[in-house]
Amino acid sequence: MSVADSECPDELDRAAQALTVEFAESTPGSGVGYLLLHRARPAHFALAHVWDGVDLIQAYWTSPLDLPAELRPHRAGAVGCVWELEVLAFESAQCAASFEAADRRERYLSTHL
C-alpha cells in the first residue's frame, strides 16, 4: 500500500522481510500471518502479523522516507493507521471465516484482498 503514484521501495521490502522472519520465528503461534508494507506521507511502515489461534500478534516498524531499510520499532501501543486497519479487518474476517474448517490454514492462505 502506498501514497498515490508511488511504490514501496525494494529496500523496505527486503528489510521488512528479514525482520518478519525473526519476529515469526520468535513468536508462538501457527506461523501463519502476513506482512503489510505502507509508504505513507510521513514515513514508511511495516506491520508483521502472526496468528496464534484467533489471537493476532503484531510487530510494527517505521523508517524515514529517505532511508527505507532503516526500520525501527514504531511507538508502543500503536495498532495502525486508518488505511492499515482496513487490511487488518480483512485478515481478521478471513481468519474468523476459516477458523472452524478442517483445512483452515489452506483456506485462510487462499484468500486475498
Side-chain angles (χ1 to χ4, degrees), residues 13-93:
D13 187 29
R14 284 190 298 274
Q17 293 268 352
L19 287 170
T20 299
V21 168
E22 291 176 25
F23 166 66
E25 288 176 348
S26 67
T27 301
S30 64
V32 174
Y34 58 96
L35 172 63
L36 170 59
L37 301 178
H38 185 187
R39 183 191 183 287
R41 293 191 201 306
H44 295 288
F45 300 95
L47 296 80
H49 301 89
V50 174
W51 289 106
D52 183 10
V54 294
D55 293 332
L56 187 60
I57 313 301
Q58 174 179 274
Y60 197 171
W61 304 282
T62 186
S63 66
L65 290 175
D66 60 339
L67 297 168
E70 299 298 317
L71 288 166
R72 299 288 178 253
H74 195 48
R75 69 176 176 256
V79 176
C81 77
V82 66
W83 311 116
E84 295 156 354
L85 292 177
E86 184 177 336
V87 176
L88 271 71
F90 172 84
E91 295 291 339
S92 176

Coordinates of all heavy atoms in Angstrom, one line a residue, residues 13-93:
D13 N 11.1 -3.5 1.5 CA 10.6 -4.9 1.4 C 11.7 -5.9 1.9 O 11.3 -6.8 2.8 CB 10.3 -5.3 -0.1 CG 9.6 -6.6 -0.2 OD1 8.9 -7.1 0.7 OD2 9.8 -7.2 -1.3
R14 N 12.9 -5.8 1.5 CA 14.0 -6.7 2.0 C 14.2 -6.6 3.5 O 14.3 -7.6 4.2 CB 15.3 -6.4 1.2 CG 15.3 -7.0 -0.2 CD 16.6 -6.9 -0.8 NE 17.2 -5.6 -0.9 CZ 16.9 -4.8 -2.0 NH1 16.2 -5.2 -3.0 NH2 17.4 -3.6 -2.0
A15 N 14.2 -5.4 4.0 CA 14.5 -5.1 5.4 C 13.3 -5.7 6.3 O 13.5 -6.3 7.3 CB 14.7 -3.7 5.7
A16 N 12.1 -5.4 5.8 CA 10.9 -5.9 6.5 C 10.8 -7.4 6.5 O 10.4 -8.0 7.5 CB 9.6 -5.2 5.9
Q17 N 11.1 -8.0 5.3 CA 11.0 -9.5 5.2 C 12.0 -10.1 6.3 O 11.6 -11.1 7.0 CB 11.4 -9.9 3.8 CG 10.5 -9.5 2.8 CD 9.4 -10.6 2.5 OE1 9.4 -11.7 3.0 NE2 8.4 -10.2 1.7
A18 N 13.2 -9.6 6.4 CA 14.2 -10.1 7.3 C 13.7 -10.0 8.8 O 13.8 -10.9 9.6 CB 15.5 -9.4 7.2
L19 N 13.1 -8.8 9.1 CA 12.6 -8.6 10.5 C 11.4 -9.5 10.7 O 11.2 -10.0 11.9 CB 12.2 -7.1 10.7 CG 13.4 -6.1 10.8 CD1 12.9 -4.7 10.8 CD2 14.1 -6.4 12.1
T20 N 10.6 -9.7 9.7 CA 9.4 -10.5 9.9 C 9.8 -12.0 10.1 O 9.1 -12.7 11.0 CB 8.5 -10.4 8.6 OG1 8.1 -9.0 8.5 CG2 7.3 -11.3 8.7
V21 N 10.8 -12.5 9.5 CA 11.2 -13.9 9.7 C 11.7 -14.0 11.2 O 11.3 -14.9 11.9 CB 12.4 -14.3 8.7 CG1 13.0 -15.6 9.2 CG2 11.8 -14.4 7.3
E22 N 12.5 -13.1 11.7 CA 12.9 -13.1 13.1 C 11.7 -13.1 14.0 O 11.7 -13.8 15.0 CB 13.8 -11.9 13.4 CG 15.2 -12.0 12.7 CD 16.0 -10.7 13.0 OE1 15.8 -10.1 14.0 OE2 16.9 -10.4 12.1
F23 N 10.8 -12.2 13.7 CA 9.6 -12.0 14.5 C 8.8 -13.3 14.5 O 8.4 -13.8 15.6 CB 8.8 -10.8 14.0 CG 7.4 -10.7 14.5 CD1 7.1 -10.5 15.9 CD2 6.3 -10.9 13.7 CE1 5.9 -10.4 16.4 CE2 5.0 -10.9 14.2 CZ 4.8 -10.6 15.5
A24 N 8.5 -13.8 13.4 CA 7.7 -15.1 13.3 C 8.3 -16.2 14.0 O 7.7 -17.0 14.6 CB 7.4 -15.4 11.8
E25 N 9.7 -16.3 13.9 CA 10.4 -17.5 14.5 C 10.4 -17.3 16.0 O 10.5 -18.3 16.7 CB 11.8 -17.6 14.0 CG 11.8 -18.1 12.5 CD 13.2 -18.1 11.9 OE1 14.1 -17.5 12.5 OE2 13.4 -18.7 10.8
S26 N 10.3 -16.1 16.5 CA 10.3 -15.9 18.0 C 8.9 -15.8 18.6 O 8.8 -15.5 19.8 CB 11.2 -14.7 18.3 OG 10.5 -13.5 17.8
T27 N 7.9 -15.9 17.8 CA 6.5 -15.7 18.3 C 5.8 -17.0 18.3 O 5.8 -17.7 17.3 CB 5.8 -14.7 17.3 OG1 6.5 -13.5 17.3 CG2 4.4 -14.4 17.7
P28 N 5.1 -17.3 19.4 CA 4.3 -18.5 19.5 C 3.1 -18.4 18.5 O 2.7 -17.3 18.3 CB 3.9 -18.6 20.9 CG 4.0 -17.2 21.4 CD 5.0 -16.6 20.7
G29 N 2.7 -19.5 18.0 CA 1.6 -19.5 17.1 C 1.7 -20.4 15.9 O 2.6 -21.3 15.9
S30 N 0.9 -20.2 15.0 CA 0.7 -21.1 13.8 C 1.8 -20.9 12.8 O 2.0 -21.8 11.9 CB -0.6 -20.9 13.2 OG -0.7 -19.6 12.6
G31 N 2.5 -19.8 12.8 CA 3.5 -19.5 11.7 C 2.8 -18.9 10.5 O 3.4 -18.6 9.5
V32 N 1.4 -18.8 10.6 CA 0.7 -18.2 9.5 C 0.4 -16.7 9.8 O 0.1 -16.4 11.0 CB -0.7 -18.9 9.3 CG1 -1.5 -18.2 8.3 CG2 -0.4 -20.4 9.0
G33 N 0.6 -15.9 8.9 CA 0.4 -14.5 9.1 C 0.6 -13.7 7.8 O 0.5 -14.3 6.7
Y34 N 0.9 -12.4 8.0 CA 1.1 -11.6 6.8 C 2.0 -10.4 7.1 O 2.1 -10.0 8.3 CB -0.2 -11.1 6.2 CG -1.1 -10.4 7.2 CD1 -1.2 -9.0 7.2 CD2 -1.9 -11.1 8.1 CE1 -2.0 -8.3 8.1 CE2 -2.7 -10.4 9.0 CZ -2.7 -9.0 9.0 OH -3.5 -8.4 9.9
L35 N 2.5 -9.8 6.1 CA 3.3 -8.6 6.2 C 2.7 -7.5 5.4 O 2.4 -7.6 4.3 CB 4.7 -8.8 5.7 CG 5.7 -7.6 5.6 CD1 5.9 -7.0 7.0 CD2 7.0 -8.0 5.0
L36 N 2.5 -6.3 6.0 CA 1.9 -5.1 5.4 C 2.9 -4.1 5.3 O 3.5 -3.6 6.3 CB 0.7 -4.7 6.2 CG 0.0 -3.3 5.8 CD1 -0.4 -3.3 4.4 CD2 -1.1 -3.0 6.8
L37 N 3.2 -3.6 4.1 CA 4.2 -2.5 3.9 C 3.4 -1.3 3.4 O 2.5 -1.4 2.6 CB 5.2 -2.9 2.8 CG 6.0 -4.1 3.0 CD1 7.0 -4.3 1.8 CD2 6.8 -3.9 4.3
H38 N 3.7 -0.1 4.0 CA 2.9 1.1 3.7 C 3.9 2.3 3.6 O 4.6 2.6 4.5 CB 2.0 1.4 4.9 CG 1.1 2.5 4.7 ND1 0.2 3.0 5.6 CD2 0.8 3.3 3.6 CE1 -0.4 4.0 5.2 NE2 -0.1 4.2 3.9
R39 N 3.9 2.8 2.4 CA 4.7 4.0 2.1 C 3.7 5.2 2.3 O 2.8 5.4 1.4 CB 5.3 4.1 0.7 CG 6.1 5.4 0.5 CD 6.5 5.5 -1.0 NE 7.3 6.7 -1.2 CZ 6.9 8.0 -1.1 NH1 5.7 8.2 -0.8 NH2 7.8 8.9 -1.3
A40 N 3.7 5.8 3.4 CA 2.8 6.9 3.7 C 3.5 8.2 3.5 O 4.6 8.3 3.2 CB 2.3 6.8 5.2
R41 N 2.7 9.3 3.7 CA 3.3 10.6 3.5 C 4.4 11.0 4.5 O 5.5 11.5 4.1 CB 2.2 11.7 3.6 CG 1.2 11.6 2.5 CD 0.3 12.8 2.4 NE -0.9 12.7 1.7 CZ -1.1 12.3 0.4 NH1 0.0 11.9 -0.3 NH2 -2.2 12.2 -0.1
P42 N 4.3 10.6 5.8 CA 5.4 11.0 6.7 C 6.5 10.0 6.8 O 7.6 10.4 7.2 CB 4.6 11.0 8.1 CG 3.5 10.0 8.0 CD 3.1 10.1 6.5
A43 N 6.3 8.7 6.5 CA 7.3 7.7 6.7 C 6.9 6.4 6.0 O 5.8 6.3 5.5 CB 7.6 7.5 8.2
H44 N 7.8 5.4 6.1 CA 7.5 4.0 5.7 C 7.0 3.3 7.0 O 7.5 3.5 8.1 CB 8.7 3.3 5.1 CG 9.2 3.9 3.9 ND1 8.5 3.7 2.7 CD2 10.3 4.6 3.6 CE1 9.2 4.3 1.7 NE2 10.3 4.9 2.2
F45 N 6.1 2.3 6.8 CA 5.7 1.5 7.9 C 5.6 0.0 7.5 O 5.3 -0.3 6.3 CB 4.3 1.9 8.4 CG 4.2 3.3 8.9 CD1 3.8 4.3 8.0 CD2 4.6 3.6 10.2 CE1 3.8 5.7 8.5 CE2 4.6 5.0 10.6 CZ 4.2 6.0 9.7
A46 N 6.0 -0.9 8.4 CA 5.9 -2.3 8.1 C 5.3 -2.9 9.3 O 5.7 -2.7 10.5 CB 7.3 -2.9 7.9
L47 N 4.2 -3.7 9.1 CA 3.5 -4.3 10.1 C 3.4 -5.8 9.9 O 2.9 -6.2 8.8 CB 2.0 -3.8 10.2 CG 1.8 -2.4 10.5 CD1 2.0 -1.5 9.3 CD2 0.4 -2.2 11.0
A48 N 4.0 -6.6 10.7 CA 4.1 -8.1 10.6 C 3.1 -8.6 11.6 O 3.0 -8.2 12.7 CB 5.5 -8.6 10.9
H49 N 2.3 -9.7 11.1 CA 1.3 -10.3 12.0 C 1.4 -11.8 11.9 O 1.6 -12.3 10.8 CB -0.1 -9.9 11.5 CG -0.3 -8.4 11.5 ND1 0.0 -7.6 10.5 CD2 -0.8 -7.6 12.5 CE1 -0.3 -6.3 10.8 NE2 -0.7 -6.3 12.0
V50 N 1.3 -12.4 13.0 CA 1.2 -13.9 13.1 C 0.0 -14.3 13.9 O -0.2 -13.7 15.0 CB 2.5 -14.4 13.8 CG1 2.4 -16.0 14.0 CG2 3.8 -14.1 13.0
W51 N -0.7 -15.3 13.4 CA -1.9 -15.8 14.1 C -1.5 -16.8 15.2 O -0.7 -17.7 14.9 CB -2.9 -16.4 13.2 CG -3.6 -15.4 12.3 CD1 -3.4 -15.2 11.0 CD2 -4.6 -14.5 12.7 NE1 -4.2 -14.2 10.5 CE2 -5.0 -13.8 11.6 CE3 -5.2 -14.3 13.9 CZ2 -5.9 -12.8 11.6 CZ3 -6.2 -13.3 14.0 CH2 -6.6 -12.5 12.8
D52 N -2.0 -16.7 16.4 CA -1.8 -17.7 17.4 C -3.3 -18.1 17.8 O -3.9 -17.4 18.7 CB -1.1 -17.1 18.6 CG -0.9 -18.1 19.8 OD1 -1.1 -19.3 19.5 OD2 -0.4 -17.7 20.8
G53 N -3.8 -19.1 17.1 CA -5.2 -19.4 17.2 C -6.0 -18.2 16.6 O -5.8 -17.9 15.5
V54 N -6.8 -17.6 17.5 CA -7.6 -16.4 17.0 C -7.0 -15.1 17.5 O -7.6 -14.1 17.3 CB -9.1 -16.5 17.4 CG1 -9.8 -17.7 16.7 CG2 -9.3 -16.6 18.9
D55 N -5.8 -15.2 18.2 CA -5.1 -14.0 18.6 C -4.1 -13.6 17.5 O -3.4 -14.4 17.0 CB -4.4 -14.3 19.9 CG -5.3 -14.5 21.1 OD1 -6.5 -14.0 21.0 OD2 -4.9 -15.2 22.0
L56 N -4.1 -12.3 17.3 CA -3.2 -11.7 16.3 C -2.0 -11.0 17.0 O -2.3 -10.1 17.8 CB -3.9 -10.7 15.4 CG -3.2 -10.2 14.2 CD1 -2.7 -11.3 13.2 CD2 -4.0 -9.2 13.4
I57 N -0.8 -11.5 16.8 CA 0.4 -10.9 17.4 C 1.0 -10.0 16.3 O 1.2 -10.4 15.2 CB 1.4 -12.0 17.8 CG1 0.7 -13.2 18.5 CG2 2.5 -11.5 18.6 CD1 -0.1 -12.8 19.8
Q58 N 1.4 -8.8 16.7 CA 1.9 -7.8 15.8 C 3.3 -7.2 16.2 O 3.5 -7.0 17.4 CB 0.9 -6.6 15.7 CG 1.4 -5.5 14.9 CD 0.4 -4.3 14.8 OE1 -0.5 -4.4 13.9 NE2 0.5 -3.3 15.6
A59 N 4.1 -7.0 15.2 CA 5.3 -6.2 15.3 C 5.1 -5.0 14.3 O 4.6 -5.2 13.2 CB 6.5 -7.0 14.9
Y60 N 5.6 -3.8 14.7 CA 5.3 -2.6 13.9 C 6.6 -1.8 13.9 O 7.1 -1.4 14.9 CB 4.2 -1.9 14.7 CG 3.4 -0.8 13.9 CD1 2.3 -0.2 14.5 CD2 3.8 -0.3 12.7 CE1 1.5 0.8 13.9 CE2 3.1 0.7 12.1 CZ 1.9 1.2 12.7 OH 1.2 2.2 12.0
W61 N 7.0 -1.6 12.7 CA 8.3 -0.8 12.5 C 8.0 0.4 11.6 O 7.1 0.4 10.8 CB 9.3 -1.7 11.8 CG 9.7 -2.9 12.6 CD1 10.4 -3.1 13.7 CD2 9.2 -4.3 12.2 NE1 10.5 -4.4 14.1 CE2 9.8 -5.1 13.2 CE3 8.4 -4.8 11.2 CZ2 9.6 -6.5 13.2 CZ3 8.2 -6.2 11.2 CH2 8.8 -7.0 12.1
T62 N 8.9 1.4 11.6 CA 8.9 2.5 10.8 C 10.3 3.0 10.4 O 11.2 2.6 11.0 CB 8.1 3.7 11.5 OG1 8.0 4.8 10.6 CG2 8.9 4.2 12.7
S63 N 10.3 3.7 9.2 CA 11.6 4.2 8.8 C 11.4 5.5 8.0 O 10.3 5.7 7.5 CB 12.3 3.2 7.8 OG 11.6 3.0 6.6
P64 N 12.4 6.4 8.0 CA 12.2 7.6 7.2 C 12.1 7.3 5.7 O 12.6 6.3 5.2 CB 13.6 8.4 7.5 CG 14.2 7.7 8.6 CD 13.7 6.3 8.6
L65 N 11.4 8.2 5.0 CA 11.2 8.1 3.6 C 12.5 8.0 2.8 O 12.6 7.2 1.9 CB 10.3 9.2 3.0 CG 8.9 9.2 3.5 CD1 8.2 10.5 2.9 CD2 8.2 8.0 3.0
D66 N 13.5 8.7 3.3 CA 14.8 8.7 2.5 C 15.7 7.5 3.0 O 16.8 7.3 2.4 CB 15.5 10.0 2.7 CG 15.8 10.4 4.1 OD1 15.2 9.8 5.0 OD2 16.7 11.2 4.3
L67 N 15.3 6.8 4.0 CA 16.1 5.6 4.5 C 15.2 4.4 4.7 O 15.0 4.0 5.9 CB 16.9 6.0 5.8 CG 17.9 7.1 5.7 CD1 18.3 7.5 7.0 CD2 19.1 6.6 4.8
P68 N 14.6 3.9 3.7 CA 13.6 2.8 3.9 C 14.0 1.6 4.6 O 13.2 0.9 5.2 CB 13.1 2.5 2.5 CG 14.1 3.0 1.6 CD 14.8 4.2 2.3
A69 N 15.3 1.2 4.5 CA 15.8 0.0 5.1 C 16.1 0.2 6.6 O 16.4 -0.8 7.3 CB 17.0 -0.5 4.4
E70 N 16.1 1.4 7.1 CA 16.4 1.7 8.5 C 15.2 1.6 9.4 O 14.8 2.5 10.1 CB 17.0 3.1 8.6 CG 18.3 3.3 7.8 CD 19.4 2.4 8.3 OE1 19.6 2.3 9.5 OE2 20.1 1.8 7.4
L71 N 14.6 0.4 9.4 CA 13.4 0.1 10.2 C 13.7 0.1 11.7 O 14.6 -0.6 12.1 CB 12.7 -1.2 9.7 CG 12.0 -1.1 8.4 CD1 11.7 -2.5 7.9 CD2 10.7 -0.3 8.5
R72 N 12.9 0.8 12.4 CA 13.0 0.8 13.9 C 11.6 0.5 14.5 O 10.6 0.8 13.8 CB 13.5 2.1 14.4 CG 14.8 2.5 13.9 CD 15.9 1.7 14.6 NE 17.2 2.0 14.1 CZ 17.9 1.2 13.3 NH1 17.5 0.1 12.8 NH2 19.1 1.6 12.9
P73 N 11.5 0.0 15.7 CA 10.2 -0.2 16.3 C 9.4 1.1 16.3 O 9.9 2.1 16.6 CB 10.5 -0.7 17.7 CG 11.8 -1.3 17.6 CD 12.6 -0.5 16.5
H74 N 8.1 0.9 15.9 CA 7.2 2.1 16.0 C 6.8 2.3 17.4 O 7.0 1.4 18.3 CB 6.0 1.8 15.1 CG 5.1 3.0 14.8 ND1 5.7 4.2 14.4 CD2 3.8 3.2 14.8 CE1 4.7 5.1 14.2 NE2 3.6 4.5 14.4
R75 N 6.1 3.3 17.7 CA 5.8 3.6 19.1 C 4.9 2.5 19.8 O 4.0 1.9 19.1 CB 5.1 5.0 19.3 CG 3.7 5.1 18.7 CD 3.2 6.5 19.0 NE 1.9 6.6 18.4 CZ 1.7 7.3 17.3 NH1 2.7 8.0 16.7 NH2 0.5 7.4 16.7
A76 N 5.2 2.2 21.0 CA 4.5 1.2 21.8 C 3.0 1.5 21.8 O 2.6 2.6 22.0 CB 5.0 1.1 23.2
G77 N 2.2 0.4 21.6 CA 0.7 0.6 21.7 C 0.1 0.9 20.3 O -1.1 0.8 20.2
A78 N 0.8 1.3 19.3 CA 0.3 1.7 18.0 C -0.3 0.4 17.4 O 0.4 -0.6 17.4 CB 1.3 2.4 17.2
V79 N -1.4 0.5 16.7 CA -2.0 -0.6 16.1 C -2.0 -0.4 14.6 O -1.8 -1.4 13.8 CB -3.5 -0.8 16.5 CG1 -4.2 -1.9 15.8 CG2 -3.6 -1.0 18.0
G80 N -2.1 0.7 14.1 CA -2.1 1.0 12.6 C -2.9 2.2 12.3 O -3.7 2.7 13.1
C81 N -2.7 2.8 11.1 CA -3.4 3.9 10.7 C -4.8 3.4 10.1 O -5.0 2.2 9.9 CB -2.7 4.8 9.7 SG -2.6 4.1 8.0
V82 N -5.6 4.4 9.7 CA -6.9 4.0 9.2 C -6.8 3.1 8.0 O -7.6 2.2 7.8 CB -7.8 5.3 9.0 CG1 -7.2 6.1 7.8 CG2 -9.2 4.9 8.7
W83 N -5.8 3.4 7.1 CA -5.7 2.6 5.9 C -5.1 1.2 6.2 O -5.6 0.2 5.6 CB -4.7 3.3 4.9 CG -5.1 4.7 4.7 CD1 -4.3 5.8 5.1 CD2 -6.3 5.2 4.2 NE1 -5.0 6.9 4.8 CE2 -6.2 6.7 4.3 CE3 -7.5 4.7 3.7 CZ2 -7.2 7.5 3.9 CZ3 -8.5 5.5 3.3 CH2 -8.3 6.9 3.4
E84 N -4.2 1.1 7.2 CA -3.7 -0.2 7.6 C -4.8 -1.1 8.3 O -4.9 -2.3 8.1 CB -2.5 -0.1 8.5 CG -1.3 0.6 7.7 CD -0.3 1.3 8.6 OE1 -0.6 1.4 9.9 OE2 0.7 1.7 8.1
L85 N -5.7 -0.4 9.0 CA -6.7 -1.1 9.7 C -7.7 -1.8 8.8 O -8.3 -2.8 9.1 CB -7.4 -0.2 10.7 CG -6.6 0.3 11.9 CD1 -7.4 1.3 12.7 CD2 -6.1 -0.8 12.7
E86 N -7.8 -1.2 7.6 CA -8.7 -1.9 6.6 C -8.2 -3.3 6.2 O -8.9 -4.2 6.1 CB -8.8 -1.0 5.3 CG -9.7 -1.5 4.3 CD -9.8 -0.6 3.1 OE1 -9.6 0.6 3.2 OE2 -10.1 -1.1 2.0
V87 N -6.8 -3.4 6.1 CA -6.2 -4.7 5.8 C -6.4 -5.6 7.0 O -6.7 -6.8 6.9 CB -4.7 -4.5 5.5 CG1 -4.1 -5.9 5.3 CG2 -4.6 -3.6 4.2
L88 N -6.2 -5.1 8.3 CA -6.3 -5.9 9.4 C -7.7 -6.4 9.6 O -8.0 -7.6 9.9 CB -6.0 -5.1 10.7 CG -4.5 -5.2 11.1 CD1 -3.6 -4.4 10.2 CD2 -4.3 -4.7 12.5
A89 N -8.7 -5.6 9.2 CA -10.1 -6.0 9.3 C -10.4 -7.2 8.3 O -11.1 -8.1 8.6 CB -11.1 -4.8 9.0
F90 N -9.8 -7.0 7.1 CA -10.0 -8.1 6.1 C -9.4 -9.4 6.6 O -10.0 -10.5 6.5 CB -9.4 -7.7 4.8 CG -9.3 -8.8 3.7 CD1 -10.4 -9.0 2.9 CD2 -8.2 -9.6 3.6 CE1 -10.4 -10.1 2.0 CE2 -8.1 -10.6 2.7 CZ -9.3 -10.9 1.9
E91 N -8.2 -9.3 7.1 CA -7.5 -10.5 7.5 C -8.2 -11.2 8.7 O -8.3 -12.4 8.8 CB -6.0 -10.2 7.9 CG -5.2 -9.8 6.7 CD -4.9 -10.9 5.7 OE1 -5.0 -12.1 6.1 OE2 -4.5 -10.5 4.6
S92 N -8.7 -10.3 9.6 CA -9.5 -10.8 10.8 C -10.7 -11.6 10.3 O -11.0 -12.7 10.8 CB -9.8 -9.7 11.7 OG -10.6 -10.1 12.7
A93 N -11.4 -11.0 9.3 CA -12.6 -11.6 8.8 C -12.3 -13.0 8.1 O -13.0 -14.0 8.3 CB -13.3 -10.7 7.8

